[in-house]
Amino acid sequence: MSILLRGGLVIYGEGFEPVRADVLIEGDRIVRVARGISAEADEVIDASGRVIIPGLINAHTHSPMTLLRGLADDLPLMEWLQNYIWPAERKLGRREVYWGALLGLIEMAKSGTTTFVDMYFHMDAVAEAVMKVGLRAFLGYGMVDLGNEEKRKAEIRETERFMKFIEELGDRRINFILAPHAPYTCSPECLRWVAERAREGILVTIHLAETREEVKEIKERYGMTPVQLLDSLGLLTPGTIAAHGVWLDERDAKILATREVTIVHCPASNMKLASGVMPLKMLLKAGVNVALGTDGAASNNNLDMLEEMKLVALLHKVHTLDPTVADAKMVLRMATVHGARALGLKAGIIKEGYLADLAVIDFRRPHLRPLNDPVSHLVYSARGGDVEDLIVAGKIVMLDGEVLGVDEEKVLDKVENIREVVI
Amino acid sequence: MSILLRGGLVIYGEGFEPVRADVLIEGDRIVRVARGISAEADEVIDASGRVIIPGLINAHTHSPMTLLRGLADDLPLMEWLQNYIWPAERKLGRREVYWGALLGLIEMAKSGTTTFVDMYFHMDAVAEAVMKVGLRAFLGYGMVDLGNEEKRKAEIRETERFMKFIEELGDRRINFILAPHAPYTCSPECLRWVAERAREGILVTIHLAETREEVKEIKERYGMTPVQLLDSLGLLTPGTIAAHGVWLDERDAKILATREVTIVHCPASNMKLASGVMPLKMLLKAGVNVALGTDGAASNNNLDMLEEMKLVALLHKVHTLDPTVADAKMVLRMATVHGARALGLKAGIIKEGYLADLAVIDFRRPHLRPLNDPVSHLVYSARGGDVEDLIVAGKIVMLDGEVLGVDEEKVLDKVENIREVVI
């Protein structure tokens, strides 16, 4: 299978330089980026007047939570969780998770995301949804043992079962990731078990230092910060992808940098839940790899990485009162290259030899004109709906705004029915 | 002329309650909102599966600055202005302003804005663009005298000429507004002249307390805060619409509340330029009318009021570490009712007797499902491109995403040509 994208403006290479070029894809790789490629291809896509960007990497989400979008807002975190989110989640079975994940996948595809890291339950159903749509996924069963030994054993069994399930799927786009929920919901024993698997090279994702209360609680319980705790348990590795990292001090940052951990910034969620402002400048200065995520739709309330990029830039400029912080290219790197680095993917860049994960955006739209600076427009002016085509692993996932693998209308009806009947 | 919107979900009345109803428009007013209206109408719009909202009011922008979108970002304010924005603006003649404003108008229409307050130069050209598109506009020639008497006289002449020009247009949707640029660019004499006109009931818009530097400069020059200065000159009236208000103290807030001044919050611009966080909670508590604006596209970089609403909510939650601040309905009020109050319009609400300024949004989209809460979705999940129809003063401005009065493709070509040749 080969695809030729013709005549687009390509945001090329590590420097995100806009160049007029064709892009030739063979198998799951980009094989050539040049003007006037004359090769034959199975599919030719006319990209003229459009901009070709590396696919966005949503490094932290809970895709089925689209079902809970707008269910409750503007509430303190614990009230929101205890009175609205957790009771609703208890009503979600395998079927609901499947349709919720499908909705999330369609939404991600339509806003330019090619890869995502997911943590939830009934993850077989999520995997099934991913196979239909065709994104690149890292799927983790969210382990929560709350210090209960029986529960821990059950969580470990489920994790092992799910890992085997993914292995047997044999789809290179669908990957397993260990997903202990957080230092405050998982016992040290549980986290140590995860750390042993991580030592074998398996990726791990976890929530870390999201709220001030979490840090306080962990300090009281263990006499350490959450970062120090995870480090003492051997859970901080180059394959560890920790979401949020809002309440980190310089010592934490140094540990994270030394261990080559990735922190996933989720600005919309942190802002909406009033968790706080993650110390982006400090982390980058310490040399921490910072990727970007939307978190679940219940605390965002969408899965639009283009919007998320703008939020990063705006939030950190105003927070530091420094407009030079989080410039457009830096933010685009977070949403692409940094995510790819976290996941060990040769992706996030449009260049020969890289994975063919990319999005084509229609720039013939009023809010994206005139074309003073395509990268600026991408970060500051574009929005999810501007994405038209999406290619993942050299396969066309979306064409002209239509996600090919699913009946979108049916998905919209199903989730509406779930809202009416189940939630 | 009458229009019947059939079968939509109407965000009704002061409480923004979602109700299934038809909306009947006669002339420029909403005359009935009820189920199963059987009246004949000149135009019938099928709104089923869609949500009808009051048109958004962008209370502060510079529409022709779309031309400078993305021209320069991530820079300190004065470097940005002196090295990029002002030199580019000097190249803009009447023709460029016309096409830039048209681009801005199309963008605003497409993101649900029915009314906007504009300040720029070559405002005749902006008025001409408004007539083509059909939005409700309050147009002001931006006066800057920098203490120079000759310049002041010229600015006053231009203002008087433009006021007469608008009067003679005789279009009820196109209104004149006085627009002294700011306390630091206009002399007290200039501001006093404006205050005299304001006393006759003419609306005024001005930039106010945008940056810390401005407040410092005004205090050094006049021994007062910018608010106190304007008050001492008689410029604070119920018809005064002051943009930004980032650096205000409690005494300022009390004055603004007493004088019934409107402050226009521009979160994207304040964040991007790192101006600071306006004290929203404090202003609301003091009883100040706070409206919402996008500012110009050069510092935003779009004119999307739906995005702006989300930013208000997110910014103030994280800034105060209180998730209950700036809830969805409050933010929607800022973008509608508060703007209408500032401008003396019976608008911003869908209800019998109100101006027929409204937008129809397609909610059959993945990121707006399931429909747990339409107002939450509007503020937290929707984006400009979701708006399909727009009605202003009982006239259809946009239908199925097509702005009727203009050739959009031609506008896109023209602004691109201006970028290549002029800027």
Side-chain angles (χ1 to χ4, degrees):
Chain A
M1 172 80 182
S2 60
I3 304 170
L4 180 60
L5 292 149
R6 205 163 248 163
L9 187 65
V10 179
I11 306 301
Y12 182 77
E14 292 85 350
F16 298 133
E17 288 310 319
V19 291
R20 296 239 159 254
D22 302 340
V23 178
L24 182 63
I25 294 165
E26 278 172 12
D28 68 350
R29 301 277 155 171
I30 297 163
V31 294
R32 245 186 108 199
V33 182
R35 274 186 196 233
I37 296 177
S38 60
E40 295 278 312
D42 301 324
E43 293 267 0
V44 177
I45 293 174
D46 178 12
S48 52
R50 304 197 287 164
V51 173
I52 304 174
I53 67 162
L56 304 175
I57 297 177
N58 186 348
H60 181 68
T61 190
H62 312 279
S63 62
M65 289 187 87
T66 50
L67 294 174
L68 312 182
R69 190 199 314 276
L71 183 71
D73 307 291
D74 312 314
L75 293 170
L77 181 67
M78 288 322 288
E79 191 183 334
W80 178 73
L81 282 174
Q82 290 173 349
N83 300 345
Y84 296 92
I85 299 304
W86 291 341
E89 282 187 335
R90 280 193 285 272
K91 297 178 195 163
L92 303 181
R94 194 188 185 288
R95 174 179 168 271
E96 288 75 29
V97 165
Y98 171 73
W99 292 108
L102 258 189
L103 183 67
L105 281 154
I106 295 172
E107 201 191 330
M108 285 193 270
K110 289 199 160 197
S111 44
T113 294
T114 48
T115 295
F116 71 106
V117 178
D118 214 39
M119 178 200 288
Y120 215 59
F121 48 93
H122 294 302
M123 291 303 292
D124 303 24
V126 178
E128 207 183 301
V130 175
M131 290 187 78
K132 265 194 111 73
V133 175
L135 295 197
R136 194 182 294 280
F138 291 77
L139 306 181
Y141 167 72
M143 305 172 83
V144 172
D145 75 339
L146 300 169
N148 177 316
E149 196 182 334
E150 280 315 299
K151 182 104 171 84
R152 175 164 69 255
K153 284 179 183 163
E155 295 296 78
I156 288 174
R157 272 197 307 276
E158 175 58 17
T159 295
E160 286 177 326
R161 190 200 63 75
F162 180 61
M163 179 159 56
K164 202 151 164 260
F165 173 86
I166 293 290
E167 244 176 61
E168 286 170 0
L169 275 186
D171 186 323
R172 287 173 60 190
R173 288 169 307 178
I174 306 184
N175 307 273
F176 172 80
I177 189 165
L178 290 156
H181 176 266
Y184 63 96
T185 49
C186 293
S187 65
E189 293 76 17
C190 179
L191 296 172
R192 216 173 272 126
W193 180 87
V194 172
E196 275 162 36
R197 302 291 89 69
R199 220 166 295 139
E200 299 158 13
I202 304 174
L203 295 172
V204 185
T205 188
I206 188 167
H207 295 97
L208 183 66
E210 180 175 359
T211 65
R212 198 147 48 169
E213 294 68 33
E214 173 192 338
V215 175
K216 189 165 166 271
E217 188 185 322
I218 295 292
K219 276 187 181 169
E220 280 170 9
R221 232 198 275 178
Y222 302 104
M224 299 185 260
T225 67
V227 168
Q228 290 169 335
L229 174 68
L230 294 194
D231 198 33
S232 75
L233 297 166
L235 201 54
L236 299 186
T237 76
T240 303
I241 296 154
H244 300 301
V246 175
W247 296 95
L248 299 170
D249 60 27
E250 290 199 20
R251 213 167 123 194
D252 290 335
K254 212 175 152 189
I255 297 171
L256 294 168
T258 307
R259 301 293 186 218
E260 297 176 53
V261 168
T262 292
I263 292 287
V264 184
H265 187 20
C266 303
S269 173
N270 298 160
M271 294 172 86
K272 184 155 180 284
L273 296 173
S275 306
V277 180
M278 77 106 76
L280 179 65
K281 216 171 156 179
M282 190 259 276
L283 290 179
L284 293 175
K285 205 178 152 205
V288 177
N289 185 48
V290 181
L292 194 60
T294 60
D295 206 350
S299 61
N300 185 314
N301 295 351
N302 60 39
L303 306 178
D304 184 344
M305 285 286 286
L306 287 165
E307 186 179 285
E308 211 69 35
M309 286 202 287
K310 183 167 182 174
L311 283 175
V312 178
L314 264 49
L315 173 61
H316 294 283
K317 287 174 198 303
V318 78
H319 186 64
T320 58
L321 294 183
D322 178 356
T324 67
V325 168
D327 63 82
K329 282 195 179 176
M330 171 68 224
V331 171
L332 184 55
R333 273 197 296 276
M334 287 172 60
T336 55
V337 185
H338 292 194
R341 187 186 302 155
L343 298 163
L345 296 173
K346 191 164 180 180
I349 291 174
I350 299 183
K351 198 174 173 179
E352 296 78 356
Y354 278 74
L355 284 169
D357 291 6
L358 43 84
V360 185
I361 300 188
D362 178 18
F363 264 58
R364 287 285 296 177
R365 299 195 178 190
H367 61 286
L368 300 174
R369 291 282 160 169
L371 202 54
N372 288 308
D373 182 342
V375 173
S376 164
H377 284 7
L378 202 55
V379 171
Y380 292 116
S381 312
R383 48 197 180 222
D386 301 328
V387 180
E388 292 190 325
D389 305 337
L390 195 80
I391 293 172
V392 179
K395 287 188 180 132
I396 299 173
V397 167
M398 182 171 73
L399 203 59
D400 296 324
E402 303 286 323
V403 180
L404 304 181
V406 283
D407 178 346
E408 183 178 322
E409 289 298 311
K410 187 176 165 187
V411 176
L412 298 186
D413 286 340
K414 288 282 181 190
V415 296
E416 215 47 50
N417 175 267
I418 290 170
R419 177 185 69 79
E420 283 162 14
V421 177
V422 181
I423 303 167
Chain B
M1 170 81 182
S2 61
I3 304 170
L4 181 59
L5 293 148
R6 206 162 246 164
L9 188 66
V10 179
I11 305 302
Y12 182 77
E14 291 85 352
F16 298 133
E17 288 312 319
V19 291
R20 297 239 158 255
D22 302 339
V23 178
L24 181 64
I25 294 165
E26 278 174 11
D28 68 350
R29 300 278 156 171
I30 297 163
V31 294
R32 244 185 109 198
V33 182
R35 273 187 195 232
I37 295 177
S38 60
E40 296 277 313
D42 301 324
E43 294 267 0
V44 176
I45 294 174
D46 178 12
S48 52
R50 304 197 287 164
V51 173
I52 305 174
I53 67 162
L56 303 174
I57 297 177
N58 186 348
H60 181 69
T61 190
H62 312 279
S63 62
M65 289 187 87
T66 50
L67 293 173
L68 313 181
R69 189 197 317 275
L71 183 71
D73 306 291
D74 312 314
L75 294 169
L77 181 67
M78 289 321 289
E79 193 183 333
W80 179 72
L81 282 174
Q82 289 173 350
N83 298 347
Y84 296 91
I85 299 304
W86 291 342
E89 282 187 334
R90 280 193 285 273
K91 296 177 194 162
L92 304 180
R94 194 187 185 289
R95 174 179 168 271
E96 288 75 29
V97 164
Y98 171 73
W99 291 107
L102 257 189
L103 183 67
L105 281 155
I106 295 172
E107 202 191 331
M108 285 192 270
K110 290 197 161 200
S111 45
T113 293
T114 49
T115 296
F116 71 106
V117 179
D118 214 41
M119 178 200 289
Y120 215 60
F121 48 92
H122 293 303
M123 290 304 291
D124 304 23
V126 177
E128 206 183 303
V130 175
M131 291 187 78
K132 264 192 113 72
V133 175
L135 295 195
R136 196 181 295 281
F138 291 77
L139 307 181
Y141 167 71
M143 304 172 84
V144 173
D145 75 339
L146 302 169
N148 177 314
E149 196 182 333
E150 278 316 297
K151 183 104 172 80
R152 175 165 68 255
K153 284 181 183 162
E155 295 296 76
I156 289 173
R157 271 198 306 277
E158 175 58 15
T159 296
E160 286 177 325
R161 188 199 65 73
F162 180 60
M163 178 160 57
K164 200 147 168 261
F165 173 85
I166 293 290
E167 244 177 58
E168 285 169 1
L169 276 186
D171 186 324
R172 286 173 60 188
R173 290 170 304 180
I174 306 184
N175 307 274
F176 172 80
I177 189 165
L178 291 155
H181 175 266
Y184 63 96
T185 47
C186 293
S187 64
E189 294 74 18
C190 178
L191 296 172
R192 214 172 274 126
W193 180 85
V194 172
E196 275 163 36
R197 301 289 90 67
R199 220 165 296 141
E200 299 157 16
I202 305 175
L203 295 170
V204 184
T205 189
I206 188 167
H207 295 96
L208 182 66
E210 181 175 0
T211 64
R212 197 146 49 168
E213 294 68 34
E214 174 191 337
V215 175
K216 189 164 168 270
E217 187 186 323
I218 295 291
K219 276 187 180 168
E220 281 170 8
R221 230 198 276 178
Y222 302 104
M224 299 185 260
T225 67
V227 168
Q228 290 170 334
L229 173 68
L230 294 195
D231 197 34
S232 75
L233 297 167
L235 201 53
L236 299 185
T237 76
T240 302
I241 296 155
H244 301 300
V246 175
W247 296 95
L248 299 170
D249 60 27
E250 291 199 21
R251 212 166 125 195
D252 290 335
K254 212 176 151 188
I255 297 171
L256 294 168
T258 307
R259 301 294 186 219
E260 297 175 54
V261 168
T262 293
I263 292 288
V264 184
H265 187 20
C266 302
S269 173
N270 298 161
M271 293 172 86
K272 184 156 182 282
L273 296 173
S275 305
V277 180
M278 76 106 78
L280 179 65
K281 217 171 153 177
M282 190 260 276
L283 290 179
L284 293 175
K285 204 178 150 205
V288 177
N289 185 48
V290 181
L292 194 60
T294 60
D295 206 352
S299 60
N300 185 313
N301 295 348
N302 60 39
L303 306 179
D304 184 345
M305 284 287 285
L306 288 166
E307 185 179 287
E308 211 70 33
M309 287 201 287
K310 183 166 183 174
L311 283 174
V312 178
L314 265 50
L315 173 62
H316 294 282
K317 287 174 198 304
V318 78
H319 186 64
T320 58
L321 293 184
D322 179 355
T324 67
V325 168
D327 63 82
K329 281 194 178 177
M330 171 69 225
V331 170
L332 184 55
R333 274 198 295 278
M334 285 171 62
T336 55
V337 185
H338 292 194
R341 187 186 303 156
L343 297 164
L345 295 173
K346 192 164 179 181
I349 292 174
I350 300 184
K351 198 175 172 178
E352 297 78 355
Y354 279 74
L355 284 169
D357 290 8
L358 44 84
V360 185
I361 301 188
D362 178 18
F363 263 58
R364 287 285 296 176
R365 300 195 178 190
H367 62 287
L368 299 174
R369 291 283 157 168
L371 203 53
N372 288 308
D373 182 342
V375 172
S376 164
H377 285 7
L378 202 56
V379 171
Y380 291 117
S381 313
R383 48 197 182 222
D386 302 328
V387 180
E388 292 190 326
D389 305 336
L390 196 80
I391 293 172
V392 179
K395 287 188 180 134
I396 299 173
V397 166
M398 181 170 74
L399 203 60
D400 296 324
E402 301 286 323
V403 180
L404 304 181
V406 281
D407 177 346
E408 184 178 321
E409 289 299 311
K410 186 175 165 188
V411 176
L412 298 185
D413 286 340
K414 287 285 179 185
V415 296
E416 216 47 51
N417 175 269
I418 289 169
R419 177 185 70 78
E420 284 162 15
V421 177
V422 181
I423 303 168

